[in-house]
Amino acid sequence: MLDSTRRDARSRIAPAGLMFLAITSIGWGLNWPVTKFLLTELPPLTLRGVTGVLGALLLATIALLRGDSLRVAPGIWPRLLIASVLNVTGWMVLMGLALLWLPASETALIAYTMPIWASIIAWPVLGERPTLLRTIALVMAFAGLASIMSGDGLAGSAAKLPGIAMALVGALGFAVGTVLSKKYPIQLPPITAAAWQVGLGCLPVAIASFVLETAHPALVTPFGWLLLLYSVTMQFCAAYVCWFAALARLPASVAAIGTMAVPVIGVVASAVTLHEPLGVREIAALIFTLAGVALATR
């Protein structure tokens, strides 16, 4: 049994962890414009749940081809289920519902308060005392997001309170899942762990989609099918595998701060592919956020 609280070489910054974190950030960042386009062709629960289940099946197939076992020891099931709910189900469902009350930009700003909660939770749970550089990194990263949001702001009207609450709960849940994955590691091969977490997390979303939504696959365009293939293979396969691999090699707070690049990548990718605005605010956000990530990894 691994002692995840032991302060050894694993608490240091591993180059492989940074590589995996970069792949995760790029995959999840590019998925913002991909998802935005696909929501014009498929309802949200169908899009997130069904593609997630397909991604989990693909991951399970890859694991078996590699000779990895899909067997889960009885003692691992509780932490596996908790991680699936916090890191997959809660994040996708709550952020999706928050969009019913909030603009996407405001939802993204609230969602990526997650590194703050992870850093706070990691201190008492993991003993990862925040360093000065990581504190500055958080400030710079949030300055980058503030640059993106400076023209919109958060309206504190009562009509938006449900969306704000859902986005905050989703961000807090993901932060808790990130820290618990370090405190109580899921001792499975990375691809097997990803297959189970994505599958268990997306299955209830897929079931809900069949009950609550009506999808029309015949109306999906060829380009839409291509993007669905990307969503299954990159977002739910490669990116999640790399995320769990990064968590195994990096301090939880550093891994969380690294995800701050995701919304910036999403903004830039949306500007290129969807012709959304990319001006001084967006460029400043890119500089601040990536500078913050660089400080966090020192």
Side-chain angles (χ1 to χ4, degrees):
M1 185 71 70
L2 293 176
D3 180 6
S4 64
T5 64
R6 186 179 60 197
R7 304 188 65 82
D8 57 12
R10 292 178 67 88
S11 66
R12 298 196 298 268
I13 303 300
L18 299 181
M19 179 191 70
F20 288 126
L21 186 58
I23 295 173
T24 298
S25 297
I26 293 171
W28 286 347
L30 292 179
N31 201 61
W32 283 93
V34 168
T35 301
K36 185 171 183 178
F37 178 87
L38 287 174
L39 284 173
T40 65
E41 302 193 354
L42 288 170
L45 295 181
T46 299
L47 173 61
R48 307 298 278 172
V50 175
T51 55
V53 170
L54 292 175
L57 292 174
L58 178 58
L59 283 168
T61 301
I62 295 172
L64 292 175
L65 290 175
R66 285 170 45 89
D68 294 336
S69 173
L70 295 178
R71 181 180 177 275
V72 178
I76 295 179
W77 277 111
R79 65 186 70 178
L80 185 62
L81 290 171
I82 292 172
S84 300
V85 170
L86 293 173
N87 290 337
V88 183
T89 308
W91 177 266
M92 290 195 304
V93 172
L94 289 170
M95 292 305 169
L97 291 175
L99 288 169
L100 298 177
W101 284 273
L102 297 172
S105 56
E106 294 182 4
T107 306
L109 176 63
I110 298 172
Y112 285 92
T113 59
M114 184 269 291
I116 288 182
W117 313 128
S119 295
I120 294 173
I121 297 168
W123 188 355
V125 175
L126 302 179
E128 291 183 9
R129 184 181 296 273
T131 65
L132 177 60
L133 282 179
R134 289 181 190 173
T135 301
I136 296 174
L138 278 172
V139 172
M140 293 189 71
F142 276 93
L145 289 179
S147 296
I148 293 177
M149 297 298 302
S150 60
D152 300 315
L154 287 175
S157 64
K160 290 187 175 182
L161 287 180
I164 294 172
M166 289 181 183
L168 281 174
V169 172
L172 182 59
F174 198 99
V176 172
T178 297
V179 174
L180 290 181
S181 292
K182 293 293 294 183
K183 177 71 173 180
Y184 306 107
I186 298 172
Q187 295 161 323
L188 293 171
I191 297 180
T192 300
W196 276 112
Q197 289 189 57
V198 173
L200 292 171
C202 290
L203 183 59
V205 181
I207 294 173
S209 73
F210 290 122
V211 176
L212 302 174
E213 298 176 340
T214 301
H216 300 283
L219 300 180
V220 178
T221 63
F223 186 60
W225 285 112
L226 182 63
L227 293 182
L228 281 171
L229 178 63
Y230 169 87
S231 184
V232 170
T233 57
M234 186 62 191
Q235 180 197 5
F236 287 110
C237 289
Y240 264 101
V241 169
C242 289
W243 170 245
F244 298 134
L247 277 181
R249 293 165 173 82
L250 298 173
S253 54
V254 173
I257 291 171
T259 63
M260 297 293 290
V262 173
V264 177
I265 293 171
V267 168
V268 174
S270 296
V272 173
T273 61
L274 302 177
H275 307 292
E276 293 186 352
L278 180 59
V280 174
R281 286 190 297 131
E282 290 78 17
I283 294 173
L286 180 62
I287 294 172
F288 274 120
T289 303
L290 295 184
V293 172
L295 279 177
T297 58
R298 292 180 64 85

